[in-house]
Amino acid sequence: MNNSDQSSVTEQASRKFARRPVAVTAAALIAAGALGVALGQDMRFASAEPAQPTTTTQAPQTVQTPYGAAPLTFADLVQKVSPAVVSINVKGDSKVAENDMPGIPGMPDIPEDNPLYDFFKQFRQGQPNGHGGRPPRPSPTMAQGSGFFISPDGYLVTNNHVVEDAEEISVTMESGDKYPATLVGADPRTDVALLKVKAPQQFPYVNFSGKDPRVGDWVLAVGNPFGLGGTVTAGIISAHNRDIGSGPYDYLQIDAAVNRGNSGGPSFNLDGEVIGMNTAIFSPSGGNVGIAFAVPAALLKEVVGQLQEHGTVDRGWLGVVIQNVSDDIADSIGLPEAKGAMVTKVAEDGPAAKQDVKAGDVIVEVNGDKIDDSRDLARKIAELHPNTDVKLAIVRYGKEHQVNMKLGTFPSGKKLAALEDDKPADSGSEQLDNLGLSLAPAVKVPGAGEDGVVITDVDPNSDAADKGLKAGDIILQVAGEMVSQPGDVAKGVKKAMDNAKDKDKVNVLVQVKTGDQTRFIALSLKKAKV
């Protein structure tokens, strides 16, 4: 063996395994947030130098199968990567949501403006109150999570929810050495945070993988579950591109056991490279059920690059709320296929509000690239920098036109739409039997505001009931026209029927507001025979 080979073996053997991943909070493993992505500089990391020489390890033992070699043990890999994984301890106030939704045992409440609120909300419904009947309130806490070094000079990554609002942050190495850490930057939208430990020595670290793992590949999850200390679990990549309802970003799904305290910890391939950061689990009961989600390495690199350079992540912003286009919606507005993203709301003072973009428009292209659905549009816009010029292809009730505009900056924190002024009054409702709805002007229904027509009753056997419409919902427009009286709704229905020509079945596009949310649905009607 020449000197170069000996040096390579010694370097590989010298990395002792350290397990201290980011705190995967919550029974539903709040290990959440790694869904990220924004553009940014690609951050490249060289291979780690050994912290201190160790005895040479043996080459990994494998067994040959018809489909290739399989490891007999993960011990050598664990020894290699564990020194770079740390436990993260945070001192601060716990963040408690101001809501009456019952929690899951072991899972902290998530504020409503958190990108992961909707994802965790489904697990809390029907669960016993996690506060023992007491109203939740902020209290001093010592939180524990996981993280991992990505450079020898002390940069390390974890979940944002592990360190947000922290008064003090410290990291503990596998050796037991503790160091204070500072927050370089965080991105709540992807739940990624970048920390820095300042010390005279170099730290063992790991690299991000440059290739996408395949479904069925081995994966090792390293972390500090339940504060027990470094722990390793093994599994496989279960799926790609999982949507967990917390934005346009996709996750890896793995079946390696991930529990509370694993948040922010890395998942490794058999080359010892990070393929993702553990961030969330699916768990109706609060325990591990073999379904965990990790932020893919490619997204981590993009977000971390921007955090290191700017301390924040800037994303382009159109200033619209969007939804997918269903088959019946496509039919109702003359689209040849259910593609694109439909605008359900245009934010006041947003970039789109200054241009010819309206609720009911379907964005089918951005800079010549076709849009598949709402998530595809959200990803494409998020990948562009603020102040970027974009060209949108928009279909408005069958007619396509171009809109040139400049993107804004995606707003940080909660941005709420202005509430409508209430108009006290009372009125009987008017029936539209062909829709299965009873309607009244919004201005005559207390609390409904000034715009639209309020649904006062729904025929349970109607298509409207099947599509989820209910009393209290407000119809804002029908067939592309704003409505304020039940008669306006009837005119919109007639317009849709006239445009349907020889079709026996007519899909009428309706914009509906429920609470603060608006959406488009297509109500199906049968044309009367004459």
Side-chain angles (χ1 to χ4, degrees):
M1 179 181 292
N2 57 38
N3 291 337
S4 176
D5 292 338
Q6 289 177 340
S7 174
S8 176
V9 171
T10 302
E11 178 181 349
Q12 184 178 14
S14 61
R15 298 185 192 135
K16 285 190 83 174
F17 179 61
R19 316 162 288 270
R20 300 195 184 269
V22 200
V24 164
T25 66
L29 191 85
I30 247 192
L35 20 115
V37 74
L39 314 305
Q41 304 295 329
D42 186 337
M43 192 172 179
R44 303 182 182 277
F45 305 102
S47 58
E49 292 296 325
Q52 50 181 261
T54 63
T55 57
T56 303
T57 57
Q58 300 295 320
Q61 301 178 56
T62 60
V63 59
Q64 198 64 33
T65 75
Y67 300 100
L72 289 177
T73 177
F74 297 111
D76 295 322
L77 174 57
V78 171
Q79 183 180 11
K80 173 184 177 181
V81 301
S82 63
V85 185
V86 301
S87 174
I88 295 180
N89 298 280
V90 174
K91 181 179 179 181
D93 288 338
S94 64
K95 198 170 183 179
V96 179
E98 296 287 339
N99 59 66
D100 57 1
M101 188 164 55
I104 292 178
M107 186 179 80
D109 289 320
I110 307 299
E112 292 186 31
D113 59 331
N114 190 292
L116 296 157
Y117 176 83
D118 288 337
F119 175 61
F120 289 112
K121 178 179 178 180
Q122 60 183 304
F123 302 119
R124 297 153 113 163
Q125 293 173 340
Q127 298 290 337
N129 193 317
H131 300 284
R134 299 187 306 273
R137 61 183 183 276
S139 58
T141 60
M142 282 294 293
Q144 198 166 42
S146 305
F148 55 100
F149 283 105
I150 57 173
S151 66
D153 56 347
Y155 283 101
L156 67 151
V157 179
T158 186
N159 282 145
N160 172 64
H161 73 259
V162 172
V163 296
E164 69 178 335
D165 298 330
E167 297 174 2
E168 297 178 14
I169 305 173
S170 64
V171 302
T172 304
M173 307 283 292
E174 182 189 35
S175 62
D177 294 338
K178 293 185 178 181
Y179 300 92
T182 57
L183 180 65
V184 176
D187 180 34
R189 189 163 169 80
T190 60
D191 201 17
V192 175
L194 181 66
L195 308 180
K196 182 71 162 63
V197 172
K198 294 182 179 180
Q201 79 272 22
Q202 291 192 329
F203 294 94
Y205 64 100
V206 288
N207 297 319
F208 289 123
S209 174
K211 58 185 179 183
D212 291 332
R214 299 183 304 166
V215 173
D217 279 350
W218 282 107
V219 59
L220 293 188
V222 186
N224 183 29
F226 305 110
L228 296 172
T231 302
V232 181
T233 54
I236 62 170
I237 300 292
S238 301
H240 287 284
N241 304 322
R242 286 305 196 209
D243 172 15
I244 65 173
S246 52
Y249 309 116
D250 293 324
Y251 287 80
L252 291 174
Q253 181 184 328
I254 64 177
D255 73 347
V258 176
N259 293 288
R260 283 184 60 198
N262 279 116
S263 274
S267 287
F268 294 99
N269 60 21
L270 293 186
D271 294 325
E273 299 170 327
V274 176
I275 55 94
M277 178 171 67
N278 304 323
T279 192
I281 64 171
F282 179 87
S283 177
S285 63
N288 172 67
V289 295
I291 301 178
F293 303 102
V295 185
L299 299 184
L300 280 172
K301 286 196 291 187
E302 291 175 2
V303 173
V304 166
Q306 284 208 38
L307 292 178
Q308 186 179 41
E309 185 172 355
H310 307 294
T312 60
V313 175
D314 291 330
R315 296 178 177 84
W317 184 51
L318 279 177
V320 296
V321 179
I322 53 178
Q323 71 174 58
N324 289 336
V325 178
S326 63
D327 290 332
D328 50 2
I329 286 178
D331 180 71
S332 70
I333 60 176
L335 273 178
E337 56 181 346
K339 296 285 188 180
M342 173 168 273
V343 177
T344 63
K345 188 175 185 179
V346 179
E348 293 183 12
D349 299 325
K354 303 172 185 176
Q355 305 297 330
D356 186 20
V357 180
K358 299 179 180 179
D361 288 348
V362 177
I363 300 174
V364 294
E365 289 184 8
V366 174
N367 293 334
D369 293 333
K370 295 198 176 296
I371 301 299
D372 290 328
D373 53 28
S374 59
R375 285 172 56 77
D376 187 27
L377 174 63
R379 276 192 295 263
K380 283 182 168 63
I381 296 301
E383 288 170 358
L384 299 174
H385 290 288
N387 298 317
T388 299
D389 291 320
V390 295
K391 180 182 291 186
L392 307 179
I394 290 177
V395 173
R396 181 177 296 165
Y397 294 97
K399 296 180 180 180
E400 182 173 328
H401 68 282
Q402 302 289 328
V403 173
N404 297 318
M405 60 182 295
K406 190 182 294 291
L407 295 179
T409 301
F410 193 90
S412 58
K414 200 187 301 185
K415 182 160 185 167
L416 300 177
L419 297 176
E420 303 282 358
D421 288 334
D422 293 339
K423 291 290 182 180
D426 200 10
S427 174
S429 62
E430 181 176 326
Q431 289 188 345
L432 278 169
D433 292 336
N434 54 355
L435 286 178
L437 299 174
S438 295
L439 306 171
V443 293
K444 295 187 177 182
V445 177
E450 296 181 349
D451 298 330
V453 176
V454 177
I455 298 174
T456 58
D457 193 24
V458 181
D459 181 351
N461 297 317
S462 66
D463 185 58
D466 293 340
K467 297 289 175 61
L469 292 184
K470 60 185 183 299
D473 287 347
I474 301 173
I475 297 176
L476 299 176
Q477 65 171 258
V478 176
E481 301 293 336
M482 303 301 293
V483 297
S484 59
Q485 300 289 333
D488 297 335
V489 177
K491 290 177 183 178
V493 171
K494 185 178 184 304
K495 173 184 175 182
M497 287 184 169
D498 291 342
N499 292 338
K501 296 181 180 178
D502 298 329
K503 293 182 180 179
D504 290 333
K505 186 178 179 181
V506 181
N507 288 316
V508 183
L509 189 68
V510 177
Q511 185 187 24
V512 180
K513 180 180 179 182
T514 303
D516 291 329
Q517 303 297 320
T518 62
R519 69 190 190 280
F520 281 89
I521 63 173
L523 296 179
S524 297
L525 310 176
K526 287 186 178 180
K527 295 185 75 173
K529 299 289 184 182
V530 239

